[in-house]
């Protein structure tokens, strides 16, 4: 069983199709003091393949945390979240829904599907970076994550 240590990088999976949001997330994580290995997939089907280590993702690491957009091509974030939380091998991975949607139905549906947190993306660059740093700090410094299998 792999235990996380202060010197081992946190494996973070970002499921995001917007290149601008990927860039801002990358920049926010680079500013943080935590060791983070960021992996990016741009649609829901690719996210599931990454998590199941299928196809081109056969050597993908198991993420310690997933940042998941809801509005994705191929499989949307709700479908990806349902797949993750229904899979006994994946459901312990914390999932933070990170989306532009402020719709109450999206918030409720995400929590019904067992999202660990729901964060609405700020449109301002500095606020967006601040939100990413807070997620990073909370889930990677404060919260105890499950050990990697």
């Amino acid at each position: 069983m792999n235990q996380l240590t202060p010197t081992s990088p946190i494996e973070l999976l970002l499921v995001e199709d917007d290149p601008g949001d990927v860039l801002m997330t990358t920049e926010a994580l680079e500013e943080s003091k935590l060791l983070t290995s960021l992996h990016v997939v741009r649609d829901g089907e690719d996210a599931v393949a990454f998590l199941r280590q299928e196809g081109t993702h056969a050597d993908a690491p198991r993420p310690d945390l997933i940042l998941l957009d809801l509005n994705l091509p191929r499989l949307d974030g709700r479908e990806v979240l349902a797949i993750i939380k229904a899979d006994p091998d994946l459901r312990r991975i914390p999932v933070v829904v990170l989306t532009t949607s402020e719709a109450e139905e999206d918030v409720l549906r995400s929590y019904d599907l067992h999202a660990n947190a729901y964060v609405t993306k700020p449109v301002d660059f500095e606020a967006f970076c601040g939100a990413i740093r807070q997620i990073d700090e909370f889930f990677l410094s404060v919260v105890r994550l499950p050990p990697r299998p």
Side-chain angles (χ1 to χ4, degrees), residues 57-130:
H57 300 293
D59 295 326
R62 179 185 176 91
D64 298 304
L65 177 66
I66 300 168
L67 300 180
L68 176 66
D69 187 20
L70 288 183
N71 302 310
L72 298 167
R74 298 172 77 192
L75 279 178
D76 77 11
R78 295 159 204 82
E79 294 170 294
V80 173
L81 182 57
I83 289 167
I84 292 168
K85 295 304 182 177
D87 186 322
D89 292 330
L90 302 175
R91 68 175 156 222
R92 287 189 181 136
I93 302 171
V95 178
V96 176
V97 172
L98 184 62
T99 185
T100 55
S101 174
E102 294 184 30
E104 189 166 331
E105 65 197 47
D106 284 335
V107 175
L108 294 173
R109 179 87 174 116
S110 295
Y111 282 116
D112 284 346
L113 291 169
H114 306 287
N116 297 86
Y118 189 100
V119 177
T120 303
K121 292 178 191 172
V123 291
D124 172 75
F125 175 75
E126 285 303 316
F128 183 90
C129 288

Side-chain angles (χ1 to χ4, degrees), residues 19-66:
D21 288 349
V22 171
L23 180 61
M24 287 192 296
T25 303
T26 303
E27 288 179 9
L29 290 170
E30 285 172 356
E31 290 178 14
S32 82
K33 298 173 187 78
L34 301 170
L35 284 172
T36 307
S37 180
L38 180 64
H39 308 276
V40 179
V41 294
R42 300 190 188 275
D43 66 62
E45 285 182 7
D46 211 22
V48 173
F50 184 98
L51 292 165
R52 291 184 173 160
Q53 297 176 313
E54 297 172 341
T56 59
H57 300 293
D59 295 326
R62 179 185 176 91
D64 298 304
L65 177 66
I66 300 168

